[in-house]
Amino acid sequence: MALRRRTLLAGGLAAGAGLTSGCAGKPLDTLLTQAAHVPRTPATLVWWVSEIPSRNGPVVADLIIRAFERRHPHLRVRKSNALSTTDGNRAAVTTQLAGASPTPDVYLGDTTWPAQFGANSLALPVQTLLPKDFWSDYPAALRRVSEYRGAVYALPFFTDNSFLFYRKDLLAKHGLPVPRTWEELLRTARRIQRAGDAAYGFLWQASVSESLTCNVTEFLADAQAPVLDEAGRVALSGPGAERAFALMREFTETGVTPRTVTTYAEADSQDAFTGGRGVFLRNWSYAWGNAADRSVSKVAGRVGVVPRPGFDGDGPRGVSCAGGWSNFVNPNSPHLGAAVAFARFCAGEEAQMILLKHAGVIPALDDVLTRPEARRVGDPTLTRAKELRLVARPVQTPYYPQVSKALYTQANAVTGGRATPAQAVRAARADIRTALEGRAL
C-alpha cells in the first residue's frame, strides 16, 4: 500500500484555478451551491475505487455502498474498478478529469494528490461544505495533506501508518529490550547479527521511488528537520538534515542494513523479514497481517510491533509518515450534492466502523480506534495507531512529484555510499528549489 509518484499532473491548467473558478464553464459558487444539497430525486454515482484489503472475506467497498444506500434509498453507487497501481490510477483518473468527464463522481486517491488536483481544477474544494469542527475528529496531519492554499480537496478515508516490527524471540534470547532510539537499535541489531542469529539487522525501503521519500520524511522528522517551511519554500539544511542522512548511511556502512536496500520497496523488505532474515523491519501497518500469517511467514507468532524509535535526546519518537487514501469529488459531476454526501459518509462513523471490522487498513477517524471492536480484531497496529506522531510529506505544492524525486534521488545516493550526508543534503536542497520553480530536474 505504499505510494508511488513519478510525474506532475498532465495539462496546463493554472495553479490555484480550482479556488476561484468552476469547471465546465460553471462558476465555483454555482458548483458549491449544488454540492451543498443532497438531491431528493434518484441518482446513480460512480465511485472510482481500488480494492480495499479485507481482513475476513467481504468486499469492503460493497459493504460501504450498501450502508450508504440504506441511508439514502433514492441514491445508488456503482463501482468503477481502479487500476492496481497508484501511479496507474493517478494517470488514468487525471486523463478522464482533464477531459471534463462527468464520471467518476467520487474517486479514491492518494493523500499526496490534493495540491496537484486542486491546482489543476480536478477536485472540488469542499471546505465550505464541512462543519467547522470536522477536522477535530481526525489526525492533524490528515488535514494538512488534504489542503492546498487554504482549501480542502479531499475527505479522509483510511490511513497507512508505519511501525517498527521486531523479532520478539531474538530480543528475548539476548535479553535485550525493544529499542527506543536509533542508536540503541544499531547496537542491538549488530549484537544479534554477530551472534549469527540473523543476516540483517534492520530492513527498510531505499529504492529510487516514493517508498524512500516516505522513509526520508520520517528520518528528517526524527531529527526535527523540515523539508519545506510554512510558506512552501525549501527549508532542508543544517545539522538535523545531515543527521538524518547520516543515519541512513550508517545503516549500510555498518552492515546492519544490506546494501541491496537501495533497491528495496515494501514487498522486498517484508519478504526478507517474514523469511526470517531480519531482526527489525520498518513497514506499513498492513505488514502485520503478512508477518502473522502462518501460511506465508516463517516468523509468525514471534513478531512484535511498536511505533518507530527516535534519535538519542529529546526529539520525537513514534513518527510515522501520513500515508493513506482519501475521497475526492469530481467538479464535473452532475450529482455534486450526492457525491459530497457519499464522500462524507465514507469519512463518517458508520463507514469507518466497517473499515475497522472488515478491512485490513487503519480507519482515519480517531474515535473508532479506541472502541472495544479495535481490540477484538487482534491487530496491534490498530490499537497503537493513536500513539503515532503523524507527519506529512512536503505535499503543499503542485510540484510535489519533483520534490519527492529530489529527496529520494539524493537519499538513495547517500544510502548507497555515492555521496556524503552533507553533499546529499546540499544537492537535495538545490533540486527541491528547482522543483518548486516548476522546472524539470
Side-chain angles (χ1 to χ4, degrees), residues 25-46:
K26 294 182 180 179
L28 179 59
D29 287 348
T30 299
L31 296 179
L32 293 176
T33 298
Q34 294 173 358
H37 303 285
V38 181
R40 297 179 181 275
T41 54
T44 298
L45 298 174
V46 175

Side-chain angles (χ1 to χ4, degrees), residues 14-23 26-29 32 118-119 121 125 149 151 153:
L19 302 182
T20 57
S21 63
C23 297
K26 294 182 180 179
L28 179 59
D29 287 348
L32 293 176
S121 298
R149 293 186 177 178
Y153 287 99

Side-chain angles (χ1 to χ4, degrees), residues 235-308:
L236 185 71
S237 66
E242 290 186 24
R243 186 181 192 185
F245 277 52
L247 177 66
M248 294 185 285
R249 176 70 173 269
E250 187 173 5
F251 284 137
T252 50
E253 276 191 337
T254 59
V256 166
T257 292
R259 289 192 177 273
T260 50
V261 75
T262 55
T263 66
Y264 279 15
E266 285 76 9
D268 305 298
S269 57
Q270 178 178 270
D271 289 347
F273 184 76
T274 57
R277 288 174 284 165
V279 184
F280 299 104
L281 166 70
R282 177 270 178 208
N283 214 328
W284 302 101
S285 48
Y286 67 81
W288 168 259
N290 295 314
D293 184 346
R294 295 184 184 277
S295 68
V296 297
S297 173
K298 293 181 179 180
V299 296
R302 292 178 281 162
V303 176
V305 58
V306 292
R308 292 172 63 262

Side-chain angles (χ1 to χ4, degrees), residues 385-405:
K386 289 279 288 179
E387 302 173 37
L388 300 178
R389 178 189 176 98
L390 298 185
V391 295
R393 278 164 283 175
V395 296
Q396 64 267 45
T397 166
Y399 302 110
Y400 171 72
Q402 288 93 325
V403 172
S404 178
K405 181 181 179 181

Side-chain angles (χ1 to χ4, degrees), residues 404-421:
S404 178
K405 181 181 179 181
L407 279 175
Y408 66 61
T409 299
Q410 298 305 326
N412 181 271
V414 78
T415 304
R418 301 187 306 279
T420 67

